[in-house]
């Protein structure tokens, strides 16, 4: 499910780095580490889209659920932006990202405990802007677009569905809450308050 021999920095509760551990050990023991969550946006005419992935059916966590386009761990001794760009070079077949394409929105803690998997992470939340979208992603069933206003209403609970579109902007299907790994706290506390900065015309 993950590259267990990757080396990650680990921290104490005061966020002092205490050393390194393999990714496998980090998630087996629930060690505090940092991870990037990337929300990918595309402006198309007057529409703002969020690009999402459907997680592979073989994934241990939330198989088949719609989720963020990318989460990635940070490489020791590398900048956050470097890790994100490097990760997208591994996953994307779109235009190459530059550091100025990446906007840091904020951070929050994440705790997930499922069986032997323990995720104790300080999540650094980022927005990434793209123009074209052509993806080559393993462990992914499909990539879709959602309209930002409808997704916002969906997360708030004022609508019970969200429409999905293909990368060429053709309506695909309507999804319900059970189809999603909805990162509600992250959206409400970090992403939505940053919407004005994300959607500034000069950003795209």
């Amino acid at each position: 499910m993950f590259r267990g021999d990757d080396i990650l920095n680990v921290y104490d509760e005061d966020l002092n780095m205490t050393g390194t551990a393999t990714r496998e050990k980090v998630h087996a023991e629930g060690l505090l580490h940092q991870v990037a969550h990337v929300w990918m946006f595309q402006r198309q005419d007057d529409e703002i889209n969020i690009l999402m992935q459907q997680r592979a059916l073989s994934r241990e966590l939330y198989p088949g659920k719609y989720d963020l386009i990318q989460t990635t761990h940070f490489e020791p001794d590398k900048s956050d932006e470097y890790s994100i760009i490097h990760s997208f070079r591994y996953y994307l077949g779109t235009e190459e990202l530059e550091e100025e394409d990446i906007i840091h929105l904020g951070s929050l803690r994440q705790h997930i405990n499922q069986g032997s998997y323990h995720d104790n992470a300080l999540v650094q939340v980022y927005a990434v802007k793209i123009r074209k979208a052509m993806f080559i992603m393993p462990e992914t069933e499909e990539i879709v677009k959602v309209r930002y206003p409808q997704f916002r209403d969906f997360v708030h609970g004022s609508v019970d569905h969200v429409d999905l579109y293909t990368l060429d902007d053709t309506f695909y299907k309507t999804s319900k809450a059970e189809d999603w790994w909805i990162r509600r706290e992250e959206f409400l506390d970090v992403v939505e308050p940053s919407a004005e900065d994300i959607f500034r015309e000069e950003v795209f």
Side-chain angles (χ1 to χ4, degrees):
M1 188 191 74
F2 53 82
R3 299 183 298 278
D5 57 352
D6 286 354
I7 301 299
L8 308 179
N9 292 330
V10 295
Y11 302 83
D12 63 21
E13 287 299 319
D14 295 320
L15 301 182
N16 300 306
M17 195 178 82
T18 58
T20 60
T22 64
R23 187 169 176 174
E24 182 176 21
K25 183 176 180 178
V26 162
H27 288 300
E29 299 183 11
L31 302 178
L32 178 59
H33 63 292
Q34 294 200 73
V35 64
H37 285 184
V38 179
W39 293 74
M40 179 172 282
F41 296 89
Q42 180 190 46
R43 183 188 294 276
Q44 204 164 29
D45 298 324
D46 294 329
E47 300 280 5
I48 298 293
N49 298 305
I50 312 175
L51 280 80
M52 298 287 191
Q53 63 160 309
Q54 184 186 21
R55 297 167 66 84
L57 297 174
S58 59
R59 297 288 289 271
E60 182 177 344
L61 284 180
Y62 303 102
K65 301 296 186 183
Y66 290 102
D67 188 21
L68 302 180
I69 196 72
Q70 176 65 312
T71 64
T72 189
H73 290 90
F74 297 119
E75 299 181 38
D77 304 319
K78 299 292 186 181
S79 70
D80 297 0
E81 290 78 11
Y82 174 91
S83 296
I84 293 169
I85 290 170
H86 181 74
S87 178
F88 274 114
R89 284 175 181 161
Y90 180 75
Y91 285 119
L92 269 101
T94 183
E95 76 269 8
E96 190 164 313
L97 294 176
E98 304 291 344
E99 288 198 9
E100 56 267 26
D101 297 322
I102 302 169
I103 306 167
H104 184 249
L105 305 181
S107 62
L108 77 164
R109 285 293 294 272
Q110 173 175 278
H111 296 276
I112 299 173
N113 295 291
Q114 289 198 9
S116 61
Y117 180 88
H118 307 285
D119 192 20
N120 175 19
L122 176 64
V123 178
Q124 302 294 344
V125 184
Y126 289 87
V128 166
K129 60 187 177 72
I130 65 163
R131 289 155 288 276
K132 295 181 293 184
M134 294 175 58
F135 294 83
I136 305 168
M137 294 184 71
E139 298 190 333
T140 300
E141 295 297 314
E142 60 188 6
I143 304 295
V144 296
K145 297 179 183 179
V146 298
R147 307 297 194 220
Y148 175 81
Q150 188 186 43
F151 184 78
R152 177 197 60 213
D153 293 344
F154 180 62
V155 175
H156 277 273
S158 55
V159 299
D160 66 355
H161 67 280
V162 61
D163 294 331
L164 308 180
Y165 296 83
T166 64
L167 292 183
D168 64 4
D169 214 45
T170 302
F171 174 76
Y172 172 45
K173 66 179 181 181
T174 295
S175 64
K176 298 287 189 176
E178 59 267 25
D179 300 321
W180 285 84
W181 179 0
I182 302 176
R183 300 181 187 260
R184 181 171 282 107
E185 179 185 0
E186 185 171 329
F187 181 84
L188 296 177
D189 292 351
V190 182
V191 178
E192 186 179 22
S194 304
E196 184 175 338
D197 289 334
I198 298 170
F199 301 152
R200 283 183 292 113
E201 188 70 37
E202 61 269 25
V203 169
F204 284 85

